[in-house]
Amino acid sequence: GQQVMQIPQYQHVQEGEDFTTYCNSSTTLSNIQWYKQRPGGHPVFLIQLVKSGEVKKQKRLTFQFGEAKKNSSLHITATQTTDVGTYFCAGPDNQGGKLIFGQGTELSVKP
Amino acid sequence: EPEVTQTPSHQVTQMGQEVILRCVPISNHLYFYWYRQILGQKVEFLVSFYNNEISEKSEIFDDQFSVERPDGSNFTLKIRSTKLEDSAMYFCASSGTQDQPQHFGDGTRLSIL
């Protein structure tokens, strides 16, 4: 079945360092969505990418969607302790609206 | 900003008992979803609901599970006879269209004893 893989599973950085998480789908996606989940919290929608090769920025966060619309990345510049959490990518199923989530990358930031 | 609300926040139930998890999706949304997340794992799709019927369900969503939209605002997930392995966070989500981002509620932590 359709799968969304994400690496790394964990990333520990010093505050101020950059962070990147990578997402790869087994199939071409119509769009990709990124969510952030704080410990004990719920997934919070960050952004949706739709176009091939699209790049979007939100302050220190840069999101990319690959040309083939099968991979994506999230890059955080100069991490802060408030960035702590698990970042999930998710793509819609080929047949409908359900989201297939990646395993998530848990980011911890040491002050 | 409108949000998805879920109740209760935590439900503790004996194995074999029935539970009903409740959700109020965002009011103008048409697509509703239930997901679950076992502790430390990824979010898994359970079921999607549109136009008063199930549009898709996963293999997790067996005969013990059912969903209902009893009125114009609530969306419920019922587990008829709970098992230990049903212990998880259950998230409700809604979206305006199938392609729009899904907005998640705070979740219900279900603990089966």
Side-chain angles (χ1 to χ4, degrees):
Chain A
Q2 186 178 351
Q3 291 186 356
V4 175
M5 307 297 291
Q6 210 175 333
I7 57 168
Q9 189 174 359
Y10 303 99
Q11 185 80 56
H12 308 286
V13 301
Q14 196 76 33
E15 189 172 23
E17 291 181 339
D18 292 356
F19 158 77
T20 305
T21 172
Y22 300 91
C23 181
N24 195 54
S25 169
S26 59
T27 61
T28 301
L29 299 169
S30 60
N31 68 80
I32 194 151
Q33 300 170 33
W34 285 91
Y35 292 80
K36 177 183 178 181
Q37 185 177 28
R38 293 185 184 275
H42 64 280
V44 174
F45 172 74
L46 294 177
I47 208 157
Q48 181 184 38
L49 303 170
V50 179
K51 298 176 185 174
S52 168
E54 188 169 14
V55 178
K56 284 189 177 179
K57 290 193 174 187
Q58 286 180 352
K59 297 183 181 177
R60 295 178 294 104
L61 278 59
T62 302
F63 303 84
Q64 292 187 325
F65 199 14
E67 294 290 338
K69 300 182 77 172
K70 293 181 72 174
N71 54 66
S72 181
S73 65
L74 157 60
H75 180 81
I76 302 178
T77 304
T79 53
Q80 299 174 358
T81 54
T82 51
D83 296 325
V84 163
T86 301
Y87 292 84
F88 291 96
C89 62
D93 172 74
N94 288 339
Q95 295 157 356
K98 79 179 192 196
L99 288 176
I100 310 292
F101 279 78
Q103 301 95 318
T105 296
E106 183 180 342
L107 172 65
S108 63
V109 179
K110 192 173 180 182
Chain B
E1 185 177 322
E3 56 183 27
V4 175
T5 56
Q6 286 185 245
T7 55
S9 57
H10 191 187
Q11 175 82 49
V12 181
T13 302
Q14 291 287 333
M15 187 172 60
Q17 296 295 306
E18 174 184 287
V19 293
I20 298 176
L21 310 183
R22 302 181 191 281
C23 170
V24 179
I26 294 173
S27 62
N28 60 348
H29 283 183
L30 300 176
Y31 292 81
F32 314 118
Y33 308 86
W34 282 101
Y35 293 85
R36 79 169 186 192
Q37 186 178 33
I38 294 170
L39 186 64
Q41 298 186 20
K42 68 177 180 179
V43 177
E44 299 176 289
F45 168 78
L46 290 177
V47 65
S48 57
F49 193 87
Y50 169 73
N51 202 24
N52 283 319
E53 60 182 24
I54 291 174
S55 43
E56 192 173 0
K57 57 184 181 180
S58 73
E59 56 194 29
I60 302 169
F61 194 89
D62 62 22
D63 292 344
Q64 296 300 314
F65 290 84
S66 62
V67 288
E68 205 173 49
R69 188 154 163 82
D71 53 45
S73 59
N74 290 285
F75 179 50
T76 62
L77 173 69
K78 182 195 290 187
I79 308 176
R80 189 169 24 248
S81 178
T82 49
K83 303 187 282 282
L84 292 175
E85 53 265 37
D86 293 328
S87 295
M89 281 292 287
Y90 287 80
F91 293 108
C92 173
S94 70
S95 64
T97 69
Q98 211 170 42
D99 294 330
Q100 286 179 339
Q102 295 175 23
H103 295 269
F104 285 72
D106 289 343
T108 293
R109 180 176 301 282
L110 178 62
S111 301
I112 307 300
L113 305 178

